[in-house]
Amino acid sequence: MFICVIGISLLRNLFAGAILLSVYSLLAACLFIIMDAVDVAFTEAAVGAGISTILVLATILYTGQECQRHIKIKWAPLVLSLAVGGLLIYGTMDIPAYGKKDNPIHQYKVTKNYLEKSQKETGAPNIVTVILASKRGYDTLGEVVVVFCAGIGVLLLLGGFKRKSKNKLNTTNETDNEEVPS
Amino acid sequence: MTDWHAIITYWAVITLLVFGLYIVTASSNLVKKIIGLNIFQAAVFVMYISMAKILNGTAPIITDKINEFSAYSNPLPHVLILTAIVVGVSTTALGLALIVRIKQSYNTIEETEIRQQEQTEKE
């Protein structure tokens, strides 16, 4: 995983970056399986490693593969990210240990309620499914709304251009496409 | 302070997160920025899931053989991250669509070149 990330930050070729991103997502999915989150692993492998990569590759098809190389390290972003990392590491000093049964997150009564009662109430053995579809159904509805909005946005952004480009051929003016067509 | 190997997963997550943040802020190529954003996102997902894990536990699917394991892992973060993955992909799609349009308007996806073009436009 670390090799992938370092490769992405060093490589100049965007195609290699997209493929490494796919590998990174797949490794993240493997981590999720190790951590007993099988549903999340499915989703990450299908959506993160699959659909994201296809989207990035489609974009690269339009925009070209090469990006400018900056040999010198940019200091301001480096300092910023290292500062954020340092603060987070400082934050982990008080965090509960990994994988202990008596961590506060496992003592919370909502979780216990879900674990004990969900099969009796809905009849489905997979608790993640029960919470996603039944107990937090509104959450999932909101997620679907977000996906719908994103789909509309993409269609407007990409479909609206064709109409504009016809006008552009007449005027030969190159830079007035800022506004999103409604 | 807890034992170092008890929090080493969090440190790994933080390292990935720092790399993602660096790619987002340092690269001037817009597609690369989106890739960095995805790395950042996946690191946060791993952190949430690692909180839900119980050692010797099993996935939160009710079985009769639960006595072989100590407990089910916590299902609540799993649900949150399932939602977050899908939302993350839709934001990625929207960002990439914006990049395609920027390419069509400015004929480049390098931030520095776009800024240069705007400068010459003003003058």
Side-chain angles (χ1 to χ4, degrees):
Chain A
M1 240 172 147
F2 290 107
I3 295 170
C4 285
V5 174
I6 293 167
I8 289 171
S9 55
L10 291 181
L11 278 176
R12 201 178 153 197
N13 195 319
L14 286 177
F15 181 75
I19 298 301
L20 280 179
L21 180 70
S22 174
V23 175
Y24 172 83
S25 296
L26 211 58
L27 287 174
C30 294
L31 263 186
F32 292 152
I33 287 189
I34 292 171
M35 291 172 181
D36 291 339
V38 278
D39 309 73
V40 186
F42 284 148
T43 318
E44 177 72 26
V47 175
I51 296 177
S52 288
T53 315
I54 292 171
L55 288 173
V56 174
L57 286 178
T59 315
I60 289 172
L61 203 67
Y62 276 105
T63 57
Q65 284 190 19
E66 297 298 306
C67 71
Q68 282 179 353
R69 165 130 54 186
H70 297 282
I71 294 169
K72 63 173 186 194
I73 297 167
K74 290 186 177 175
W75 288 108
L78 188 68
V79 170
L80 175 79
S81 9
L82 285 182
V84 170
L87 277 176
L88 285 172
I89 284 183
Y90 175 69
T92 57
M93 293 299 157
D94 288 334
I95 211 163
Y98 168 76
K100 289 275 158 54
K101 206 177 172 184
D102 50 357
N103 282 351
I105 180 173
H106 303 302
Q107 303 302 322
Y108 193 50
K109 63 177 185 236
V110 174
T111 303
K112 285 186 173 170
N113 200 7
Y114 282 158
L115 284 173
E116 284 159 11
K117 291 187 185 163
S118 61
Q119 194 179 20
K120 263 178 260 164
E121 285 171 357
T122 60
N126 190 339
I127 304 172
V128 175
T129 318
V130 170
I131 300 176
L132 193 74
S134 171
K135 311 225 175 203
R136 308 233 160 167
Y138 282 116
D139 221 9
T140 311
L141 182 68
E143 172 192 334
V144 173
V145 170
V146 169
V147 174
F148 181 65
C149 290
I152 288 179
V154 170
L155 284 179
L156 279 178
L157 280 169
L158 296 183
F161 181 76
K162 282 172 193 158
R163 206 175 51 211
K164 276 219 148 168
S165 64
K166 280 176 197 161
N167 302 339
K168 222 170 74 174
L169 285 176
N170 302 330
T171 55
T172 63
N173 187 357
E174 277 200 64
T175 55
D176 63 340
N177 300 322
E178 273 306 317
E179 86 245 46
V180 179
S182 51
Chain B
M1 185 182 152
T2 43
D3 241 359
W4 67 269
H5 59 264
I7 52 176
I8 196 96
T9 39
Y10 299 114
W11 287 6
V13 165
I14 289 167
T15 319
L16 293 175
L17 211 129
V18 166
F19 266 109
L21 192 62
Y22 179 74
I23 294 173
V24 171
T25 47
S27 60
S28 80
N29 189 296
L30 293 172
V31 174
K32 212 165 176 189
K33 268 181 201 284
I34 295 278
I35 290 176
L37 207 62
N38 268 312
I39 291 174
F40 193 95
Q41 232 173 23
V44 176
F45 297 162
V46 174
M47 173 160 183
Y48 265 74
I49 298 298
S50 72
M51 282 177 188
K53 165 80 176 163
I54 296 178
L55 290 175
N56 289 325
T58 182
I61 300 172
I62 305 278
T63 61
D64 302 330
K65 297 178 181 171
I66 183 59
N67 296 327
E68 294 172 20
F69 305 100
S70 64
Y72 297 116
S73 61
N74 195 328
L76 212 50
H78 297 187
V79 176
L80 295 181
I81 295 308
L82 270 179
T83 310
I85 289 175
V86 177
V87 171
V89 165
S90 24
T91 48
T92 307
L94 205 59
L96 290 172
L98 270 173
I99 291 172
V100 169
R101 255 184 78 79
I102 287 171
K103 169 77 175 173
Q104 286 166 339
S105 299
Y106 289 89
N107 206 20
T108 177
I109 51 167
E110 300 287 337
E111 220 177 28
T112 44
E113 289 174 19
I114 292 171
R115 211 165 285 157
Q116 274 173 6
Q117 284 188 19
E118 298 238 300
Q119 217 94 56
T120 47
E121 190 86 358
K122 276 178 194 164
E123 287 162 6

